[in-house]
Each structure stands twice: as C-alpha cells, then as structure tokens.
Amino acid sequence: MIDVEEYNDWIAPIGRTLYIINTGEWRYQRPERDHKKCKKCGACFIFCPTGSVFVESSRYETDYEYCKGCGICARECRAGAILMVEEVTK
Ligand code: SF4
Ligand code: SF4
C-alpha cells in the first residue's frame, strides 16, 4: 500500500491507472474566493474533482497544494464568489 503522507502527493486517476502526482503543479490559473459573496452553499466543495476545497473556521478555502486550476468551482458557484486568476507565483 502506498503511504500518501510519505509522498505528500495526490493519487490521481488518469485513464484506468492511479498515479502519484502533485496536481497543484498543473495549475496555470487559480481560484480566488471572495468570502463576502460566498453563500456557503458547498457547491465548490462538492464538485471539486481533486478534493481541494475544505472548510476552516466556517469558511470555504482552497488547498493550493492540490488544486489543479480546472475552474469547475468557479463555474459551479452561483454566487459568483470565485474568480479564476492567472497563476503568477509558481
Ligand atoms: S460555491 Fe460559491 S457560494 Fe457556494 S460555498 Fe463555494 S464559494 Fe461559497
Ligand atoms: S479550480 Fe478545480 S481543482 Fe481547484 S479548487 Fe476549483 S474545482 Fe478544485
């Protein structure tokens, strides 16, 4: 069995195989959340394919270690609280 903590990486399905990949390295844009607009509906949490959305102190946040920048959370957010911006810090 693979020790995920040891690798500190994400196990991602590609095709019919699981690979150990840090999906955060794929990102060229990142979701920025406006907490004032957030209605706390949880849609970003439900639809994120990498499980990168989490709740901390009653706020939805993004784990940029694994967020691959697909933008699904921004598209699913009906409140318009998530904006995809260019990744500039990598
Ligand atoms: S989908 Fe938008 S409104 Fe809903 S919890 Fe996420 S950021 Fe907040
Ligand atoms: S951009 Fe994609 S991977 Fe990143 S938090 Fe949103 S849905 Fe998840």
Side-chain angles (χ1 to χ4, degrees), residues 12-26:
I14 298 176
R16 291 183 288 177
T17 308
L18 289 173
Y19 293 88
I20 298 172
I21 296 172
N22 186 343
T23 47
E25 293 179 355
W26 297 356

Side-chain angles (χ1 to χ4, degrees), residues 3-59:
D3 184 348
V4 177
E5 291 300 321
E6 178 185 335
Y7 286 94
N8 195 27
D9 278 333
W10 192 256
I11 300 174
I14 298 176
R16 291 183 288 177
T17 308
L18 289 173
Y19 293 88
I20 298 172
I21 296 172
N22 186 343
T23 47
E25 293 179 355
W26 297 356
R27 193 176 58 246
Y28 68 91
Q29 57 179 0
R30 65 164 52 206
E32 296 282 352
R33 186 177 281 97
D34 182 343
H35 291 287
K36 290 182 195 142
K37 289 184 179 176
C38 177
K39 306 296 185 197
K40 300 187 172 154
C41 68
C44 53
F45 175 85
I46 292 167
F47 288 102
C48 175
T50 58
S52 299
V53 179
F54 62 97
V55 179
E56 189 171 85
S57 301
S58 300
R59 285 165 39 137

